[in-house]
Amino acid sequence: MNRRKSMFAAGLATTVSALALTLGGLAAPAQAAAGTVDCHGTVHNNNPNHGIVGCQNNTDHNVTFRAEIVCGLAPDVSGDWVTLTPGQYSESSGVCAFYSSGVGSVGWTIQ
């Protein structure tokens, strides 16, 4: 009789462990899917030397970003660092030198 109880206990422990691993495996992707930072870059409508990046923080923690502007025929520029709280939207921008041929591309760096 003791042997049956031991076998039942071992089987129950194995089942509980397998269930815990399965549930733990399901919980991990939910944490990974906590959100993203959605950014887009553009050139100002009236000033071809002005690049702008707007970001929306869809995560559950603060995020810091800045614009990275590639300038034709002039040194590249970086915008100011901007910190976003969860759910917040803001922009960072940079202006190429007057002798630039304009914004070649607009990107961003996220810390």
Side-chain angles (χ1 to χ4, degrees):
M1 187 84 162
N2 286 336
R3 185 170 184 170
R4 285 185 189 170
K5 285 183 182 178
S6 296
M7 300 258 314
F8 176 75
L12 182 61
T14 303
T15 302
V16 170
S17 296
L19 181 60
L21 287 173
T22 301
L23 292 177
L26 294 176
Q31 290 175 345
T36 60
V37 180
D38 296 323
C39 297
H40 64 279
T42 187
V43 178
H44 192 280
N45 287 335
N46 300 324
N47 183 355
N49 288 332
H50 188 177
I52 304 165
V53 172
C55 291
Q56 172 78 35
N57 182 1
N58 298 318
T59 69
D60 59 358
H61 58 277
N62 290 353
V63 174
T64 303
F65 78 98
R66 74 175 176 184
E68 302 290 347
I69 314 300
V70 176
C71 302
L73 303 178
D76 298 342
V77 295
S78 298
D80 292 334
W81 287 105
V82 177
T83 300
L84 301 174
T85 58
Q88 186 179 16
Y89 172 87
S90 192
E91 296 178 344
S92 175
S93 65
V95 179
C96 298
F98 71 93
Y99 56 87
S100 170
S101 59
V103 173
S105 67
V106 179
W108 51 88
T109 300
I110 298 176
Q111 282 188 333

